[in-house]
Amino acid sequence: MDNKKASLHKDIDTVLNNYDFNFSKAEIDVLGNGHINNTYKLTTPKAEFVLQQINHDIFTKTIELSTNAHKINQHLLQQKNNGNYPLVVPQQLLTKAGETCIKIGTNYWRLMEFISNSYTLEEVESPEQAALVATAFANFSCALSDLPTNDIAVIIEDFHNISFRMQQLKEAVANDLQDRLADCQALVNFCFDQQGFINHVIDISKKLPLHVTHNDTKINNLLFTSGDKPCAVIDLDTCMPGLLMHDFGDMVRTCCSNLAEDDTSTDKMFLKLDIFEALIQNYQNAFGDNITPLEKDSLIVGAKLLPFIIGTRFLTDHLNGDNYFQVSRINHNLDRAISQIQLFSLVSEAEPELVKLAQ
Ligand code: ADP
Ligand code: GN1
Ligand code: MG
């Protein structure tokens, strides 16, 4: 075992000693492919768990993060007991001292129930499956609709604020810390040319009501069980007050492209319109009267905004030297930015058709 691995195992042992369970025979495997935290599966003879090291550089409000998740889980459980929430609610375990997370050295950790026989998908394969995905994420938001937004902490300020993200891009361009600007100047210019769209987003955002939203509704933040049926919404790290269009937009971003988030074969990219139709129809239906007409109109704005905002964030991180999103190859963030900005262009071009599909 190398030093890094040994030190990781030592930290994990220290973390687990704080929980009231016998982990002496636990097997540890790496889980998932998130861009920020490190997540592990613990398998013991009696039960399975998810152990997560929360990236404290990014999630500086770590205690608020796990407290939010705890409050949300409690609320969802109550809704479930009242017959108002159909999905499973994976619980965060409390330490012996009753804490929602634990600090070891400079790192924060938390432990959650692992939902047995569950798995994630990176792609939606059919409109029927998309309908289930949209309904699951809408059920999640509906069940939280009576949780006051003031009770939930803001975990990352201005997370989906387009003005803030454009300002960050502007600073990254001005600094050009890694001398990378020349190779992506055209993409940068394209982003700054979208001021008309940006103004529209700013305008509509002011008129929309706040909900407790998930803010990272990627398809791989939904657990599925046999028959590819959604069984639980996971990754509550960025749950905080937000807009429904953001959650809808991230679903579209990760379900409606035929290519992966970092695939640069942009000439081969297309939008899966049948999937989009299933998403928007079922999302709106699941809300019933709990969504306003303006919120319904905003869903298509969200579908354009999420690829754009995440594309600009990848581009900013590329210019800054890949400090935020984990990368696994040279120019990985640039590739992600190219792909997401192309997706933004495709969604924008398809807008008249998308509006019809939403009727
Ligand atoms: P990240 O912040 O790294 O995206 P997630 O909370 O999404 O972390 O977890 C990473 C992966 O771990 C998920 O994609 C899923 O495969 C698995 N996972 C997370 N929570 C659970 C759970 N409660 N039960 C089963 N698997 C889970
Ligand atoms: C990050 O960690 P992960 O993969 O769930 C990011 C999201 C992005 C996503 C892009 C806190 O989510 O905002 O949409 O990558 N999370 C944070 O795939 O920045
Ligand atoms: Mg995740």
Side-chain angles (χ1 to χ4, degrees):
M1 208 187 287
D2 61 32
N3 284 349
K4 217 171 149 195
K5 216 168 168 187
S7 142
L8 173 70
H9 278 254
K10 193 167 161 258
D11 279 0
I12 290 181
D13 282 345
T14 314
V15 172
L16 296 179
N17 279 335
N18 283 277
Y19 289 88
D20 188 14
F21 189 88
N22 179 3
F23 286 101
S24 59
K25 292 195 179 124
E27 275 176 32
I28 304 171
D29 297 292
V30 173
L31 259 185
N33 46 9
H35 299 336
I36 292 170
N37 295 321
N38 293 319
T39 311
Y40 306 91
K41 179 179 177 184
L42 301 181
T43 309
T44 75
K46 283 200 175 148
E48 298 166 305
F49 300 87
V50 176
L51 177 67
Q52 192 164 57
Q53 182 187 18
I54 303 167
N55 183 328
H56 183 54
D57 292 335
I58 288 175
F59 291 115
T60 52
K61 294 186 183 173
T62 319
I63 295 170
E64 285 91 334
L65 179 157
S66 60
T67 306
N68 270 2
H70 186 68
K71 283 186 189 167
I72 287 170
N73 283 339
Q74 295 303 106
H75 193 83
L76 291 175
L77 261 192
Q78 205 178 354
Q79 292 283 40
K80 190 175 173 61
N81 291 337
N82 294 336
N84 297 327
Y85 187 58
L87 303 176
V88 174
V89 186
Q91 292 298 304
Q92 235 175 208
L93 279 80
L94 298 182
T95 64
K96 290 179 204 165
E99 310 283 2
T100 50
C101 69
I102 176 150
K103 189 176 183 198
I104 303 295
T106 53
N107 293 317
Y108 285 80
W109 298 79
R110 63 175 168 162
L111 189 66
M112 293 166 279
E113 282 178 320
F114 182 93
I115 305 302
S116 297
N117 304 316
S118 68
Y119 49 91
T120 51
L121 297 173
E122 291 299 327
E123 201 184 335
V124 164
E125 269 154 21
S126 66
E128 291 73 26
Q129 199 179 43
L132 297 176
V133 168
T135 305
F137 278 123
N139 288 158
F140 177 84
S141 297
C142 283
L144 295 177
S145 61
D146 58 343
L147 179 61
T149 49
N150 288 344
D151 285 2
I152 293 300
V154 172
I155 298 300
I156 299 180
E157 208 79 46
D158 292 319
F159 192 56
H160 288 318
N161 177 343
I162 185 67
S163 309
F164 172 68
R165 296 304 184 184
M166 294 310 288
Q167 182 57 32
Q168 286 186 312
L169 179 59
K170 204 169 159 188
E171 283 164 21
V173 166
N175 296 333
D176 192 16
L177 293 172
Q178 308 287 323
D179 266 335
R180 290 177 170 178
L181 180 60
D183 286 342
C184 55
Q185 186 70 60
L187 195 60
V188 166
N189 293 347
F190 179 87
C191 292
F192 285 112
D193 284 347
Q194 307 310 312
Q195 198 55 47
F197 170 65
I198 293 169
N199 291 342
H200 180 51
V201 170
I202 295 170
D203 184 49
I204 196 168
S205 299
K206 286 185 204 147
K207 299 174 184 153
L208 292 167
L210 279 181
H211 295 255
V212 174
T213 44
H214 185 284
N215 296 305
D216 191 12
T217 46
K218 306 204 298 199
I219 177 68
N220 66 16
N221 282 330
L222 194 57
L223 287 182
F224 291 80
T225 191
S226 56
D228 284 353
K229 290 205 185 70
C231 69
V233 173
I234 55 165
D235 203 345
L236 308 187
D237 305 357
T238 49
C239 279
M240 55 185 156
L243 305 179
L244 293 184
M245 70 166 176
H246 298 147
D247 280 359
F248 181 75
D250 213 29
M251 240 189 324
V252 169
R253 181 178 81 80
T254 55
C255 294
C256 293
S257 167
N258 64 315
L259 300 183
E261 182 182 72
D262 56 359
D263 190 329
T264 52
S265 32
T266 48
D267 51 332
K268 297 197 186 78
M269 187 187 284
F270 63 84
L271 276 188
K272 300 181 192 171
L273 291 177
D274 53 348
I275 301 282
F276 178 86
E277 183 177 18
L279 289 180
I280 198 152
Q281 290 291 343
N282 287 278
Y283 194 75
Q284 296 184 137
N285 283 347
F287 275 96
D289 293 338
N290 293 322
I291 182 166
T292 67
L294 189 64
E295 282 184 300
K296 280 191 182 177
D297 290 346
S298 74
L299 297 181
I300 290 178
V301 178
K304 288 189 284 181
L305 176 62
L306 267 286
F308 183 69
I309 206 164
I310 289 168
T312 60
R313 289 175 58 201
F314 285 142
L315 189 53
T316 302
D317 199 33
H318 172 69
L319 289 167
N320 285 340
D322 309 312
N323 306 316
Y324 187 99
F325 297 103
Q326 291 174 4
V327 289
S328 49
R329 60 177 190 247
I330 292 172
N331 287 342
H332 201 168
N333 274 316
L334 178 59
D335 289 352
R336 290 167 173 155
I338 291 169
S339 175
Q340 294 305 296
I341 297 297
Q342 171 69 4
L343 184 57
F344 161 71
S345 300
L346 288 186
V347 180
S348 301
E349 279 162 27
E351 184 166 2
E353 208 164 343
L354 302 186
V355 171
K356 283 189 208 146
L357 296 174
Q359 301 312 308

